[in-house]
Amino acid sequence: MDGFTVVRCGACAHAPSGFDEDARGTVAALPGVDEVLVEGLRAVVQDSRHGVLVTAGCRLGPGVCATRRPGLMVLVQACDATRTRPESPVVAVGPVRSTDDVRAVTRWLQDGSAPDPQALPARLRCAIAPEAARG
């Protein structure tokens, strides 16, 4: 992937910071997951030749977010090296709920698997119709 844009949802950042689920299905909020996500995304973008990180308001809409599991959302779109033409549809990634999820997302971007959502762990393949992700 020559270039890419990563859009971090600023609205999600104001929600509970992260979640962890144990073997019994108990979910607990984790402090700091958004900060870890931002730092991880920044590092990937800084190491790339044509990557950009943007924080924006919710691009999915309250109706979509109300029906999904809580957690942080990221949108990714591949583009050409000049950043003037998209090369893939927008991929909604999330919900990012733990530091393990952050590692999976940053590895996906680093190793060139993005924008293929099938290269992500199933828990991070957001079940949102592409037209709902207004990139």
Side-chain angles (χ1 to χ4, degrees), residues 2-6 44-46 48-53 83:
D2 284 332
F4 60 92
T5 300
V6 177
V44 170
V45 166
Q46 288 173 347
S48 73
R49 293 184 66 207
H50 303 289
V52 173
L53 173 61
R83 303 209 24 78

Side-chain angles (χ1 to χ4, degrees), residues 61-116:
V64 172
C65 287
T67 61
R68 66 173 180 80
R69 289 177 34 188
L72 306 166
M73 294 300 298
V74 175
L75 302 176
V76 176
Q77 186 170 38
C79 62
D80 64 2
T82 63
R83 303 209 24 78
T84 57
R85 190 174 26 116
E87 292 186 343
S88 76
V90 174
V91 176
V93 179
V96 177
R97 298 164 50 99
S98 68
T99 53
D100 285 344
D101 290 348
V102 171
R103 279 191 289 278
V105 171
T106 55
R107 263 182 278 164
W108 178 69
L109 289 166
Q110 285 171 327
D111 72 13
S113 298
D116 178 12

Side-chain angles (χ1 to χ4, degrees), residues 7-19 34 37-38 54-66 68 70-75 96 134:
V7 180
R8 171 186 158 263
C9 180
C12 292
H14 297 297
S17 189
F19 305 87
D34 183 55
L37 177 62
V38 169
V54 176
T55 296
C58 182
R59 307 306 303 157
L60 301 176
V64 172
C65 287
R68 66 173 180 80
L72 306 166
M73 294 300 298
V74 175
L75 302 176
V96 177
R134 301 180 306 255

